[in-house]
Amino acid sequence: MSLLRVQDAHLAFGADAILDGVDFTIEAGERVCLVGRNGAGKSTFLKAIDNEVVLDSGQIQWVGDTKVTRLPQDPPQQSEQRVFDYVAEALAESGKALARYHELSASLTDSPSSATLDEMDKLQNQLDAINGWQVNTRIEQVLTQLQLPADETMAALSGGWLRRVALARALVVDPDILLLDEPTNHLDIEMVRWLEEQIVNFSGAVLFISHDRAFIRRLATRIIDLDRGHLTSYPGSYDTYLQKKQEALEVEASHNAEFDKKLAAEETWIRQGVKARRTRNEGRVRALQDLRKQRQQRRELQGKANLAVNESSRSGKKVFEGENMALRFGDKPIINDLDLLLMRGDKVAFVGPNGCGKSTLIKVILGMQEVDSGKVQLGTNLEVAYFDQHRAQLDPEQTVMDNVGDGKQDIEFQGRSRHILSYLQDFLFSPKQSRTPVRALSGGERNRALLAKILLKPSNILVLDEPTNDLDIETLELLEQIVANYQGTVLLVSHDREFVDNTATSVLYFEGEGVITEIIGGFTELNHYLAAKAENSFHSNGTKAAAKESDSNKSSQSKGKTADKGSDKPRKKLSYKLQRELEQLPKVIAEKEAKLEELQQLMNEPGFFEQPLEKTEPVMTQIAEIEGQLMQDLERWEELENLSEQSS
């Protein structure tokens, strides 16, 4: 059943239309993801559906009593308002009355008065008349479901908890359609997973905007693409959308090429000599005029950002080494007995809940924070470029070009001088946009401006604190390439699972109470670690429970022990071929690691990169091949070890 219909929607804030004859329908139970480039108008489209923005023309029709609610992007952070009252506000008259009733109830303890009792009596009658107590029960159920403290003030909550409160405010009205605009921004991984479960279990329809590809893959039942004012629907998975979108762009490019060829031929004809012009076909002239008009009206596909890093001279081979490091803030342990070694070229992702100490550890690595105890050694020749998720490096009142170029018209990039406007075009800023104040930009455009600023600075250490927020997927994929090809060291704070998987060589996982575990790989390997940990915990608890069984079960336990002893040869049940492979793998891995170390030492020698490309490229190619083989060998070793253990 259709819940919402958008028909022939038009909306423009400038020369180019944001919505150009858009049609859209959402069915009950659908989870639709809206994708598009930064500035395409995705958030504006959601606001139009929510009646916050008025269309220039067209219709938005709600079927029956369809209720639509939009998740607030930024709940009030410093408000002394109670969580209950903020959530209740979404329910208009009944919510306002309930909030006032609870406020008066709380005041009775401190200052009971007849006036308070009289007002409470009036409110009680009002709530009886509008089924307010049923609404109160609904609010309490949602708060309980989301584990929210009803009497806590908004000012006392962290960003993640504020986002949870915002979701409660949206859900409490029991909407038929839930609108979400970048709901995973600023959420840690546990909150993202929690949000996924909430949306999966939500009975209504969902229309959401997101850059988080793992989030989209988990939730979306359909993708709609907003491109140059037009909306195209792609049923099915996100991967299906990527394939169909690419095919559509190729068809468009082919049609445009044919059109341009025809136009060029007609332009040649119209420029023929006097004789040809005297006898020319007036219908053909009119057709040419139409072709010119069509060409003028064509909206070209926005190009891709051309991201690059202004790398400085190389740092020392050892970037950071810490032994037995410990750090506390008051009673809270941040780092507890941590040994950490970072080498040049490492790409380390810091993963854990908000407020766990990720930024603090980065400061320790950069020499900006001392530890309480332990040994710390910083590397040499370190030049840091720092991407701050709060964009504090950008002055909102200054233009993009002044922010990025520090007021200079010409900048130095990769050894040559460039005009600031030319440089900014690589980041998809037109000359007009480059002269626009930062405050007028969208979230994604601000992130691109900050990337332009930090990538301009010569660096050999790149610190990226939630760089993926608000970025469109195309720019996100380019940033992945930048990080992957960066020759220096990368410290990455991100909860974008696919981004971490595609860039990180290791993960520092903050488990709580100052415990930090290093895991080789990305989020996929982290999930394997957490699953194994949970399984071990389960088995451990099972063992403890078994130990408490009555004496009547001891005989069966002893039989189990005997069986265990008899099967304490897990590799016996592997086939001969697999057994031989398992035995040989450690030797193979050791040989490849030795060869890799030899090649890396060769690459680290002074003057290596001063040699011609034909001498350096084979070495680097071989290093990449061996690293890939090693990863496969290690995965195979782990696989065979698991098979071996299962057969025990």
Side-chain angles (χ1 to χ4, degrees):
M1 181 184 77
S2 298
L3 300 175
L4 171 73
R5 298 190 189 99
V6 179
Q7 296 178 321
D8 197 26
H10 289 79
L11 181 65
F13 293 138
D16 292 330
I18 293 173
L19 305 175
D20 190 5
V22 163
D23 294 317
F24 171 68
T25 302
I26 189 168
E27 305 290 327
E30 276 197 299
R31 296 192 296 268
V32 182
C33 180
L34 173 60
V35 299
R37 302 297 294 269
N38 290 142
K42 302 186 296 295
S43 296
T44 304
F45 184 55
L46 255 60
K47 290 176 181 177
I49 291 175
D50 198 32
N51 285 328
E52 188 175 330
V53 171
V54 180
L55 298 175
D56 295 336
S57 64
Q59 290 184 324
I60 298 177
Q61 299 176 335
W62 291 268
V63 179
D65 296 325
T66 298
K67 289 183 287 187
V68 180
T69 187
R70 182 159 55 98
L71 179 69
Q73 277 289 88
D74 299 303
Q77 297 184 8
Q78 301 303 319
S79 169
E80 293 301 318
Q81 188 178 24
R82 294 190 315 144
V83 168
F84 183 97
D85 299 342
Y86 178 73
V87 173
E89 278 183 349
L91 297 166
E93 182 186 359
S94 55
K96 187 177 179 181
L98 280 169
R100 179 59 179 166
Y101 185 86
H102 285 288
E103 183 186 350
L104 293 172
S105 296
S107 69
L108 278 177
T109 308
D110 301 324
S111 55
S113 67
S114 58
T116 300
L117 290 170
D118 288 343
E119 186 177 357
M120 286 184 66
D121 189 54
K122 290 179 182 177
L123 283 170
Q124 189 167 355
N125 291 331
Q126 180 186 347
L127 290 167
D128 286 338
I130 59 176
N131 292 324
W133 303 115
Q134 185 177 349
V135 172
N136 186 76
T137 302
R138 170 68 180 164
I139 296 172
E140 290 177 346
Q141 285 175 341
V142 171
L143 292 178
T144 302
Q145 178 190 358
L146 303 189
Q147 300 178 348
L148 289 168
D151 296 323
E152 193 65 81
T153 64
M154 300 289 284
L157 302 180
S158 67
W161 282 99
L162 285 171
R163 184 58 60 90
R164 188 176 290 204
V165 173
L167 182 62
R169 183 182 169 104
L171 293 178
V172 77
V173 301
D174 195 19
D176 299 295
I177 302 176
L178 181 61
L179 307 178
L180 306 173
D181 191 351
E182 297 285 5
T184 63
N185 278 2
H186 311 296
L187 296 186
D188 60 46
I189 184 59
E190 293 304 320
M191 280 296 299
V192 170
R193 286 170 172 157
W194 172 88
L195 181 60
E196 285 179 348
E197 292 304 318
Q198 298 300 317
I199 296 173
V200 166
N201 295 324
F202 177 62
S203 59
V206 182
L207 175 59
F208 67 100
I209 301 167
S210 182
H211 66 272
D212 187 326
R213 290 158 291 178
F215 187 81
I216 298 171
R217 285 190 170 93
R218 173 80 196 282
L219 297 179
T221 58
R222 177 162 62 107
I223 308 293
I224 54 172
D225 181 80
L226 185 58
D227 183 9
R228 292 164 284 175
H230 298 286
L231 199 67
T232 307
S233 178
Y234 295 88
S237 69
Y238 178 68
D239 292 310
T240 301
Y241 153 74
L242 291 175
Q243 179 186 344
K244 297 294 185 183
K245 175 70 173 180
Q246 184 60 37
E247 292 172 358
L249 291 175
E250 289 171 0
V251 170
E252 179 187 345
S254 176
H255 287 170
N256 287 344
E258 290 179 10
F259 179 94
D260 293 343
K261 184 178 178 181
K262 182 179 179 182
L263 177 60
E266 294 300 294
E267 293 285 4
T268 301
W269 169 80
I270 202 67
R271 289 192 299 268
Q272 288 177 357
V274 175
K275 183 178 179 180
R277 287 199 295 271
R278 284 175 180 169
T279 59
R280 65 191 178 190
N281 186 308
E282 292 301 321
R284 192 169 176 181
V285 173
R286 287 192 297 271
L288 174 59
Q289 291 173 337
D290 290 339
L291 289 174
R292 286 173 172 174
K293 187 176 180 181
Q294 290 178 46
R295 184 62 185 87
Q296 289 172 353
Q297 293 175 343
R298 184 199 297 173
R299 292 177 66 178
E300 298 289 353
L301 180 68
Q302 187 182 19
K304 291 185 176 181
N306 183 24
L307 308 187
V309 184
N310 205 10
E311 294 193 39
S312 69
S313 58
R314 299 196 320 173
S315 68
K317 185 176 180 181
K318 187 186 291 182
V319 173
F320 176 85
E321 185 174 15
E323 297 179 6
N324 306 117
M325 294 184 295
L327 177 64
R328 302 177 70 91
F329 288 158
D331 295 331
K332 183 179 179 181
I334 305 298
I335 303 171
N336 185 18
D337 193 26
L338 175 65
D339 294 332
L340 181 62
L341 175 64
L342 295 181
M343 305 297 289
R344 181 179 64 235
D346 285 347
K347 298 174 176 63
V348 185
F350 295 65
V351 177
N354 291 332
C356 66
K358 298 186 293 292
S359 298
T360 302
L361 180 56
I362 288 176
K363 289 178 180 178
V364 170
I365 293 170
L366 300 179
M368 300 163 60
Q369 171 72 54
E370 293 184 355
V371 295
D372 296 334
S373 62
K375 187 177 176 182
V376 170
Q377 182 181 356
L378 301 181
T380 58
N381 193 32
L382 303 181
E383 295 187 56
V384 181
Y386 203 122
F387 182 100
D388 172 23
Q389 66 166 310
H390 303 295
R391 311 182 188 114
Q393 299 173 61
L394 297 177
D395 184 344
E397 300 305 318
Q398 286 191 339
T399 64
V400 175
M401 60 186 294
D402 286 339
N403 266 287
V404 175
D406 293 326
K408 300 175 183 175
Q409 293 290 313
D410 295 299
I411 51 98
E412 193 77 18
F413 186 74
Q414 294 185 335
R416 64 187 181 97
S417 179
R418 291 186 67 181
H419 195 278
I420 186 64
L421 293 179
S422 169
Y423 174 72
L424 286 171
Q425 283 181 329
D426 291 346
F427 293 82
L428 303 181
F429 289 106
S430 66
K432 183 180 179 181
Q433 278 185 309
S434 298
R435 296 183 176 96
T436 302
V438 166
R439 57 177 164 77
L441 302 179
S442 69
E445 290 168 335
R446 293 185 190 191
N447 267 14
R448 271 196 276 119
L450 183 54
L451 281 172
K453 184 178 179 70
I454 70 144
L455 295 181
L456 180 59
K457 180 182 179 181
S459 68
N460 50 39
I461 292 186
L462 195 57
V463 181
L464 301 174
D465 188 358
E466 293 290 358
T468 66
N469 287 343
D470 298 312
L471 286 182
D472 59 53
I473 293 173
E474 288 86 350
T475 307
L476 184 58
E477 290 173 345
L478 287 171
L479 182 59
E480 285 180 351
Q481 295 176 21
I482 286 290
V483 174
N485 297 329
Y486 187 62
Q487 297 300 305
T489 306
V490 179
L491 308 179
L492 170 66
V493 180
S494 179
H495 303 108
D496 187 318
R497 290 157 288 182
E498 192 154 336
F499 187 81
V500 171
D501 266 341
N502 293 342
T503 56
T505 57
S506 64
V507 170
L508 288 177
Y509 177 58
F510 290 68
E511 303 201 41
E513 299 298 319
V515 177
I516 303 170
T517 303
E518 184 175 12
I519 297 157
I520 304 301
F523 255 114
T524 301
E525 288 72 24
L526 173 60
N527 287 334
H528 291 161
Y529 167 79
L530 293 175
K533 187 177 178 182
E535 187 176 353
N536 290 337
S537 175
F538 174 80
H539 288 310
S540 175
N541 292 336
T543 302
K544 290 177 182 178
K548 295 178 181 180
E549 289 183 1
S550 64
D551 292 341
S552 61
N553 291 328
K554 286 185 179 179
S555 61
S556 62
Q557 291 177 359
S558 64
K559 289 180 183 178
K561 289 178 182 179
T562 303
D564 289 343
K565 286 183 180 180
S567 62
D568 194 17
K569 298 176 182 178
R571 295 174 185 173
K572 287 266 186 181
K573 292 188 179 181
L574 288 177
S575 68
Y576 176 78
K577 184 178 178 181
L578 293 180
Q579 177 66 33
R580 286 288 296 167
E581 186 182 357
L582 179 58
E583 291 171 353
Q584 292 295 322
L585 271 173
K587 182 181 177 183
V588 172
I589 290 169
E591 289 173 352
K592 288 179 180 178
E593 286 177 338
K595 181 62 176 177
L596 184 62
E597 186 176 358
E598 179 187 331
L599 291 169
Q600 286 174 336
Q601 286 177 355
L602 178 62
M603 188 179 70
N604 293 334
E605 289 180 359
F608 175 81
F609 288 97
E610 297 175 5
Q611 302 178 84
L613 185 63
E614 57 266 21
K615 290 199 174 183
T616 60
E617 191 174 28
V619 177
M620 297 175 70
T621 301
Q622 195 175 359
I623 288 174
E625 288 175 355
I626 294 176
E627 285 178 340
Q629 292 169 6
L630 266 174
M631 184 60 68
Q632 291 176 357
D633 290 341
L634 289 167
E635 289 175 354
R636 180 59 172 167
W637 190 20
E638 183 181 1
E639 181 186 354
L640 292 176
E641 284 283 1
N642 289 336
L643 286 173
S644 176
E645 291 173 4
Q646 292 170 13
S647 64
S648 62

